[in-house]
Amino acid sequence: MSGLNKGVDKVEVALKWDPSPSGAPAHDLDIVAGVYTGDAPSGPPAYLVYFDHRSPDGTITLQRDSRTGQGFGYDEVMTVELGRLAERYARVVVGVAIQQGGGRLAFGGVPGTGVRVREGYTDLLAADFSALGDATAATVVEFTRDGAGVWTWRPLLRGFDTDPRSFGDVMGAA
């Protein structure tokens, strides 16, 4: 947490993975954020933020989008400004989906995966997807707002066998 009872305010979610072998289809992983209202925190998302998108109010933005995993360190970065979200939003779930354009690809087939959630210079969470070998999508972290308006977070590493389009419909289910 940022300070005594202040909760989290602005976080960065960063994703990395190793590129596919030469001649093979590119590994394309994407960060996805689902935003949920207080009256339906586990229902369908009010909106999703993913590649080439940002939230309608500008509080969630994708800073970098990699289609190959090439580069040093974290290749894809999303910023989530929880403190600026409208009061009607009570939950944000962030996950990762693997594009399936070159045939079915699960986390077990993508080496060097890693995800980091950071507030300022403090790492809140650092993980990889090695335990989710056969999953094609996964939730990573959940942020919830309490009755006093304070945002908290918890790790939510859970795998799904679904395509990126369907992932948005199931990632926030209870």
Side-chain angles (χ1 to χ4, degrees):
M1 286 215 221
S2 313
L4 189 60
N5 297 323
K6 290 186 178 184
V8 291
D9 182 52
K10 180 178 179 181
V11 297
E12 174 189 90
V13 180
L15 177 65
K16 68 178 181 173
W17 67 97
D18 290 344
S20 60
S22 181
H27 298 159
D28 184 4
L29 283 65
D30 290 305
I31 301 173
V32 180
V35 179
Y36 302 84
T37 60
D39 59 346
S42 295
Y47 60 85
L48 293 171
V49 180
Y50 49 93
F51 56 91
D52 294 336
H53 287 90
R54 60 178 229 142
S55 63
D57 58 5
T59 58
I60 303 174
T61 55
L62 188 63
Q63 307 297 334
R64 286 192 305 236
D65 179 26
S66 174
R67 294 177 186 225
T68 63
Q70 292 178 321
F72 295 106
Y74 292 90
D75 302 307
E76 193 152 314
V77 178
M78 179 179 277
T79 301
V80 182
E81 296 183 69
L82 297 161
R84 290 186 48 225
L85 276 168
E87 288 183 25
R88 71 179 171 272
Y89 302 119
R91 184 173 179 235
V92 177
V93 176
V94 179
V96 174
I98 303 173
Q99 293 295 330
Q100 300 297 315
R104 186 177 189 286
L105 180 63
F107 287 111
V110 182
T113 60
V115 64
R116 178 186 69 206
V117 180
R118 177 181 276 183
E119 182 178 31
Y121 296 104
T122 303
D123 286 353
L124 303 177
L125 171 70
D128 63 34
F129 299 101
S130 60
L132 304 175
D134 209 31
T136 58
T139 54
V140 174
V141 65
E142 170 187 64
F143 301 97
T144 54
R145 186 188 327 232
D146 67 16
V150 176
W151 285 95
T152 59
W153 69 277
R154 74 177 178 111
L156 190 65
L157 196 59
R158 181 172 59 166
F160 296 83
D161 187 12
T162 186
D163 61 80
R165 181 164 302 194
S166 300
F167 180 52
D169 296 332
V170 299
M171 67 186 286

